[in-house]
Structure formats: C-alpha cells, structure tokens
Amino acid sequence: MLATSTMSDNGHPVGDHSSTTPCRMVSDSAPAVVVVVNTSRAGLVVPGALEDALRAGRPGMAAVDVFDDEPVVGGGHPLFAMDNVVYTPHLGYVERGGLEGMFSVIFDQVVAYAAGRPVDVVNPEALALKR
C-alpha cells in the first residue's frame, strides 16, 4: 500500500497488531512524496524509525502530535530540528463540544453509580467485590 500512497495516517490504537512499524516499511518502499501522519499513539512507530526514514528521504514529510516522552520540554526532540516535519502538542481532542459531551456522559455515569444503578460497566463482576 505505501509504495503507491501519498499519505499514511496512523490513527489507530496500539496493540499486539501494531508491533511492526509503518515507518520501517515507508523507508524501503514509499515514494518521497509520501507524508506520514501520526496523531494517534507514539507507540505505533518504533523510536527513531521516523527520524531515520525522514533523513533517508522516504517519507518526504511527516506530521505528528505524539511523542515517545511527553511532554517534550526544551525542544530536545530530533524531529524539531527537521524542516520536513510539522509537529504540534497532542491537543486535537480539546474542543468545547467534545469536552461538554464527554463530561456530561461521565457525570451521568457517576450519578447512576451513586444511586445504585451503575451504567456502562465493562466489568460488572467488580461491583460484587467488597471494599
């Protein structure tokens, strides 16, 4: 896929299926016009792999808002020195409507639990444990 793509967006969760890094594949097979976008999890990319691939010219550019160690302080990340990288803090989820919706659901769950009628419980067996 990467050999014919112009963009790779790594927007999926980290798990057992993500043990191979897209950036290793990009450096070998993708044309220089590829832009790698990682706005999901730093763990999707082997540490150092994106920097190495960018230095080799494959991919040609990257856009990231996730890093192995966050927050990045002092401008010490290698990607910050590269002119073919756009980087931002991982704040894409912060917008008023999203936060209001999230807190409304959380509030409703806490009120239901306090009233003895828990909702959306992933592990109901834990409710039976004595505390």
Side-chain angles (χ1 to χ4, degrees):
M1 176 184 85
L2 291 170
T4 58
S5 299
T6 56
M7 181 174 288
S8 170
D9 181 1
N10 296 333
H12 50 80
V14 175
D16 292 340
H17 62 280
S18 61
S19 60
T20 58
T21 175
C23 287
R24 290 283 185 226
M25 293 182 282
V26 166
S27 64
D28 295 336
S29 62
V33 297
V34 166
V35 177
V36 170
V37 179
N38 189 359
T39 57
S40 184
R41 303 286 179 261
L44 293 173
V45 179
V46 171
L50 182 57
E51 296 93 284
D52 292 346
L54 286 163
R55 283 188 199 100
R58 296 180 183 275
M61 296 183 69
V64 296
D65 74 345
V66 290
F67 302 91
D68 295 322
D69 295 311
E70 293 181 340
V72 178
V73 292
H77 198 282
L79 290 175
F80 293 179
M82 303 180 94
D83 61 1
N84 56 345
V85 178
V86 175
Y87 53 88
T88 64
H90 190 58
L91 297 175
Y93 69 93
V94 180
E95 54 88 25
R96 185 179 183 142
L99 287 176
E100 287 175 350
M102 179 177 62
F103 285 117
S104 175
V105 169
I106 292 168
F107 183 79
D108 291 346
Q109 290 172 337
V110 170
V111 169
Y113 179 82
R117 295 182 305 276
V119 296
D120 301 327
V121 179
V122 177
N123 56 341
E125 65 280 0
L127 296 173
L129 298 176
K130 294 188 184 228
R131 308 237 177 213

